Amino acid sequence: MSTTTAAPETATPRARESLKKIVFWNYGGLFFFYFASWQLVFTFLAPWLNDQLGMTEGNIGLLQSMMALTALCLQPFYGYVQDRLGFRKNLFAFVVVMGALMGPFFAFVLPPVVAFNQVVGAVVGGIFLSLVLNSGVGVVEAFNERASRANGFEYGHVRLFGSLAGATASLVGGFIWAANPDNIWWVGTFSAIVLGALLFVARTPTTDVSAAAEPDGADSRPKVSKDSLKLLLRNRSFVGFMVLMFGTAALYDVFDQQYAIYFGQHVTGGMDPQVLFSRVVFVQILLEAAVMVAMPFVINKIGAKRGLQLFALVLVVRVVGSALFTSTELLIVWRLLAALEMPLMLVSVMKYLTRMFDVRISATAYMIGFNTAKQVGVFIFSWVFGLSYEAVGFSTSYLIMSGVVVVVTVIAGFLMRDDRRHVPPSGAPPVPQAVTG
């Protein structure tokens, strides 16, 4: 089986048709309540650790590196298991259970461990959070992407529920933070409980989604083997894709990890910096949701490779701008630019993987190509830049970060083939450059 073979895409489903399907709203709910927890953690974790537990920037970086290291160890296994499970919910359910334990963990487990030793607390906290987030997100994304193809709606459209969740969680989280920062984590537990109920009732197909995409009625069952993995890892485009995710998707996360602290250091005025930051994130994610609606059409038009390169360019602008121009107003502008980044990255990633590689092992390709490569980068860069913030300051560290993004984007550009000109060996026509959205 060649990992360079991809079935040609059919016309993209219209958003209006998707809205009429109950299953669309069900899977939208899965995205919503999972990413509500995700946004709460990544918006408030660093300031909470810093303000409430007194953890240093370096140890916060270590915690986030441990999240990535745990994901790095689990992602290949998770990808293999999810491809074997197909539409069975076992692995997703495990992620939900760990999410439901978030409130008790932050209330009763992490504070005494951090009080005993910050390094031990960083390790314990990083491992736990990874089971819910850095490792768990791959399970959620891969399961829902497969389900979107099976149920006939555009992944980018149902994924915008995640953006709406992020906006809602950021706004509500700001009020919760002002009242009692510790309650942030109990809201995460509540979100996980609702997520579990939605997962329980979610309808899943009895056969794998790839059946309709395979030519000549070929066997469409997931076929994950050592040979298929070797072919995938030897594929030039896949290697380039991994390089790009290592240095761009990873640094997107690393840049945002402690940005709330940097934001608070430069904000002027009477408002609590974290409350203001939560409101800025709320607006940013609302804009992100609006962009997500149109992004599938844009990526179909320009190609997934160019979409990923454009994502890297916006990231560089945001990082360099934050380093050099630090007025309150401009820091808000730099944060709002993230509304372009996430849709560009998410839609381009999924379209590049499903266009260029065998959709029957899509979960494995996603886990290894996107999540594992990204987590390697997060593991390395989180701790390194956490220490760098302490040693040379945020601004200098951001300039170094932007240089890394530029270098890896150039290298990946030479390795990755253009998905717009990708022709399957079977002689099927190339992926269409534009379809009805």
Side-chain angles (χ1 to χ4, degrees):
M1 179 184 64
S2 172
T3 56
T4 60
T5 303
E9 291 189 353
T10 58
T12 304
R14 292 180 181 271
R16 187 177 299 175
E17 295 172 357
S18 299
L19 293 175
K20 299 176 182 178
K21 299 178 179 180
I22 295 177
V23 68
F24 174 82
W25 295 96
N26 194 161
Y27 280 91
L30 294 180
F31 270 128
F32 185 94
F33 286 98
Y34 177 78
F35 281 101
S37 296
W38 174 282
Q39 191 64 40
L40 287 171
V41 172
F42 283 101
T43 299
F44 298 103
L45 177 63
W48 187 84
L49 292 172
N50 190 256
D51 296 346
Q52 305 299 312
L53 301 187
M55 188 175 283
T56 65
E57 286 84 358
N59 284 323
I60 293 172
L62 174 61
L63 183 149
Q64 288 153 339
S65 287
M66 286 306 304
M67 291 171 66
L69 178 61
T70 304
L72 179 61
C73 296
L74 290 178
Q75 288 288 4
F77 171 73
Y78 274 9
Y80 176 86
V81 170
Q82 191 59 54
D83 273 327
R84 288 291 183 182
L85 288 172
F87 285 104
R88 283 179 286 174
K89 306 173 184 177
N90 309 56
L91 201 53
F92 200 150
F94 172 75
V95 174
V96 171
V97 171
M98 298 309 298
L101 295 175
M102 189 180 296
F105 178 82
F106 278 96
F108 307 118
V109 178
L110 190 60
V113 175
V114 171
F116 167 72
N117 186 283
Q118 286 198 12
V119 173
V120 175
V123 172
V124 172
I127 292 172
F128 171 80
L129 284 173
S130 183
L131 295 176
V132 184
L133 304 174
N134 295 49
S135 300
V137 69
V139 175
V140 175
E141 294 274 19
F143 184 90
N144 285 6
E145 190 279 331
R146 191 188 294 263
S148 69
R149 286 186 281 122
N151 287 289
F153 47 78
E154 174 66 61
Y155 167 81
H157 292 158
V158 74
R159 179 59 176 80
L160 71 84
F161 282 86
S163 297
L164 295 174
T168 304
S170 297
L171 181 63
V172 173
F175 292 110
I176 295 171
W177 177 277
N180 184 351
D182 295 337
N183 287 338
I184 290 287
W185 316 117
W186 292 105
V187 176
T189 290
F190 172 78
S191 292
I193 292 171
V194 178
L195 175 64
L198 290 171
L199 179 64
F200 179 77
V201 300
R203 291 189 304 166
T204 55
T206 56
T207 57
D208 194 78
V209 65
S210 303
E214 290 299 313
D216 302 324
D219 184 3
S220 63
R221 291 173 296 174
K223 295 183 178 180
V224 186
S225 65
K226 290 182 179 180
D227 289 339
S228 64
L229 289 177
K230 287 179 181 178
L231 287 170
L232 188 66
L233 293 171
R234 290 172 182 169
N235 186 294
R236 166 183 155 180
S237 292
F238 191 74
V239 172
F241 178 81
M242 291 181 68
V243 169
L244 190 64
M245 295 303 100
F246 167 81
T248 59
L251 286 176
Y252 173 87
D253 279 7
V254 172
F255 175 63
D256 283 344
Q257 283 169 355
Q258 300 195 43
Y259 190 76
I261 297 174
Y262 181 69
F263 186 87
Q265 291 173 354
H266 291 88
V267 164
T268 57
M271 183 179 292
D272 184 320
Q274 297 312 318
V275 175
L276 175 60
F277 185 71
S278 73
R279 294 181 182 179
V280 172
V281 174
F282 167 72
V283 174
Q284 172 240 308
I285 299 178
L286 280 183
L287 293 173
E288 179 182 298
V291 173
M292 185 69 79
V293 174
M295 192 55 67
F297 174 80
V298 174
I299 299 305
N300 285 333
K301 191 76 174 177
I302 68 173
K305 177 182 174 180
R306 287 189 179 179
L308 290 169
Q309 291 171 325
L310 185 56
F311 154 69
L313 175 62
V314 176
L315 177 60
V316 169
V317 170
R318 193 159 71 97
V319 174
V320 172
S322 297
L324 300 179
F325 306 99
T326 58
S327 67
T328 301
E329 294 78 13
L330 284 176
L331 286 176
I332 291 173
V333 170
W334 306 135
R335 178 66 203 195
L336 292 179
L337 274 180
L340 292 175
E341 289 175 292
M342 184 62 76
L344 277 169
M345 179 181 70
L346 286 176
V347 176
S348 298
V349 162
M350 288 302 185
K351 287 190 177 292
Y352 195 79
L353 289 176
T354 55
R355 287 175 176 179
M356 299 297 293
F357 314 110
D358 194 327
V359 295
R360 293 175 297 180
I361 57 169
S362 60
T364 300
Y366 177 81
M367 295 288 189
I368 296 176
F370 178 70
N371 272 340
T372 300
K374 174 183 171 182
Q375 297 310 325
V376 170
V378 173
F379 169 67
I380 294 171
F381 295 131
S382 290
W383 200 7
V384 169
F385 281 107
L387 296 173
S388 179
Y389 297 150
E390 294 181 6
V392 299
F394 281 90
S395 295
T396 302
S397 299
Y398 286 165
L399 293 175
I400 297 170
M401 191 181 295
S402 65
V404 175
V405 174
V406 171
V407 170
V408 298
T409 302
V410 171
I411 294 172
F414 285 110
L415 292 173
M416 294 170 65
R417 294 183 174 91
D418 192 336
D419 55 295
R420 296 173 303 158
R421 294 192 293 268
H422 180 65
V423 181
S426 62
V431 174
Q433 295 188 29
V435 295
T436 301

